[in-house]
Amino acid sequence: MNLADIRSGDRRALSRFLTLVENNRDGVAEELTGLYQSADVHQIIGVTGPPGSGKSTLIAALTKRYRVRGRTVAVVAVDPSSPFTGGALLGDRIRMNALAGDKGVFIRSMASRGSLGGLAWRTQDVVRVLAAAGFDYVIVETVGAGQTAVDIAALAPTTIVVQAPGAGDDVQANKAGLLEIADILVVNKSDLPGAERAKNALKAMLELGHPTKSKAQDKPIWVPPIVLTSALEEKGIDDLAERIASQFNYLQKHGLLVEFQERQLRAEFMYRLRETLQVRLFDTFAEDEFAGIITRMVQERIDPQRAVDQLLQKLEFRRRN
């Protein structure tokens, strides 16, 4: 990889390298090592929320606003994969098609490839490359997977949770997950009936159970603002952009970006450790050994936990020999 070419605006070079990253090709890990010092965490904005809340349209409107201000934007849109073929529709790229002709905007769609938590396996690496490429903002849209889409909080120092009027039970269901990771709450589609009611419901939930209420009072507390937007009509977007800037300034002022980086690296380390151990475990055993274990479970001769225990016992025996 020639980082100079990528930073100079060579979109083909950037796209080619991101493809190598997504497929974890040989030599990519060494290339990525040099990016840890060049990536800037403050550029990253995460956007999550349930399906149908208008995340893609909101991101498109926010991107347009940043472009008016002369800022460059990269968007990473993670789409759900088929559990059978592994393919993805990549519909977010279609919904953001109006931005495609802007040289100051780069859109990358990624299939989740079965990864839980709302992100694809290689999203962290893709974001790091885009940040190092010099974009002023990198916006990451998660799979619209409700309460499970919380991994974004470990990736982005600014997490926006989007809701829509009429969510009702969805808002309640997301309370224990999405509301806890939100730095900014957005009620999108505010031109529809029930927007104020949704805003008041979110405000009540924050007052009752937001984790900031349990923090020590001698530490700075950021209370997530609630912003009403209508992405289709591009209303409330300026307010949202200002809230994003205020939240970043808050992190800077109180030295919290360093704390975030520590949490981010810890989460990434644990993820990569699990992934590497899993790969090495599967490389240790022959395919017919796994097939035999599955057969015994199907025949109800062994339960899944016991199967795992026996496999690990075999691994320990092989390691000693």
Side-chain angles (χ1 to χ4, degrees):
M1 176 192 68
N2 189 334
L3 189 57
D5 289 342
I6 292 176
R7 283 179 168 162
S8 70
D10 188 336
R11 296 294 184 255
R12 289 187 178 181
L14 177 58
S15 296
R16 286 195 297 269
F17 184 66
L18 290 178
T19 298
L20 297 177
V21 170
E22 286 189 59
N23 292 296
N24 197 28
R25 297 293 176 81
D26 291 342
V28 164
E30 289 75 14
E31 297 277 8
L32 289 172
T33 299
L35 300 183
Y36 274 84
Q37 299 301 320
S38 58
D40 197 349
V41 296
H42 84 266
Q43 299 173 315
I44 305 167
I45 302 168
V47 180
T48 189
S53 57
K55 298 186 296 295
S56 298
T57 309
L58 183 69
I59 291 171
L62 182 62
T63 299
K64 288 180 183 178
R65 198 54 46 102
Y66 284 141
R67 292 297 296 134
V68 169
R69 298 178 180 182
R71 303 294 187 177
T72 56
V73 182
V75 178
V76 181
V78 183
D79 282 285
S81 301
S82 165
F84 304 105
T85 66
L89 177 61
L90 304 181
D92 289 319
R93 178 182 284 262
I94 298 172
R95 288 188 286 273
M96 297 181 197
N97 191 52
L99 302 171
D102 189 335
K103 294 183 179 180
V105 178
F106 183 87
I107 302 173
R108 184 76 179 191
S109 295
M110 297 182 66
S112 62
R113 303 186 182 185
S115 179
L116 300 177
L119 297 177
W121 285 7
R122 300 296 172 188
T123 308
Q124 175 74 72
D125 290 335
V126 167
V127 168
R128 182 167 287 119
V129 172
L130 292 171
F135 289 97
D136 295 312
Y137 296 95
V138 179
I139 304 177
V140 183
E141 178 187 355
T142 74
V143 172
Q147 192 168 332
T148 62
V150 296
D151 282 0
I152 189 64
L155 173 64
T158 301
T159 300
I160 300 171
V161 174
V162 184
Q163 295 285 353
D169 292 339
D170 289 337
V171 173
Q172 183 67 26
N174 290 332
K175 175 182 172 183
L178 291 182
L179 290 187
E180 290 185 357
I181 68 168
D183 297 304
I184 300 169
L185 287 160
V186 171
V187 178
N188 194 30
K189 304 183 180 181
S190 61
D191 52 307
L192 299 179
E196 284 293 338
R197 185 166 60 250
K199 179 179 179 179
N200 291 334
L202 289 171
K203 183 178 179 181
M205 290 177 189
L206 285 175
E207 291 174 349
L208 287 173
H210 193 272
T212 56
K213 298 302 178 183
S214 63
K215 291 183 179 179
Q217 295 302 308
D218 60 341
K219 292 184 179 181
I221 296 175
W222 171 264
V223 178
I226 304 172
V227 182
L228 290 176
T229 65
S230 175
L232 279 175
E233 299 178 353
E234 297 190 10
K235 292 182 178 179
I237 306 303
D238 281 329
D239 187 18
L240 176 58
E242 292 305 317
R243 300 288 186 168
I244 293 171
S246 295
Q247 191 262 350
F248 170 64
N249 289 336
Y250 160 83
L251 294 176
Q252 274 192 318
K253 180 179 179 181
H254 299 289
L256 298 177
L257 281 175
V258 175
E259 290 184 15
F260 169 79
Q261 282 183 299
E262 183 179 332
R263 294 195 306 272
Q264 180 190 53
L265 290 173
R266 183 185 299 114
E268 184 177 352
F269 168 76
M270 294 304 297
Y271 156 72
R272 292 184 185 278
L273 178 62
R274 287 192 298 269
E275 183 185 54
T276 302
L277 288 175
Q278 178 176 314
V279 169
R280 292 188 180 181
L281 176 65
F282 278 84
D283 287 345
T284 301
F285 294 93
E287 187 174 337
D288 59 349
E289 290 183 272
F290 287 108
I293 291 174
I294 301 300
T295 298
R296 291 201 300 275
M297 287 192 293
V298 170
Q299 295 174 350
E300 297 184 355
R301 291 161 50 192
I302 186 174
D303 64 88
Q305 183 58 56
R306 189 178 174 194
V308 170
D309 292 340
Q310 289 185 1
L311 188 68
L312 293 179
Q313 287 175 359
K314 287 184 178 181
L315 180 65
E316 177 65 14
F317 174 79
R318 293 183 183 185
R319 189 184 67 81
R320 289 178 176 176
N321 287 279

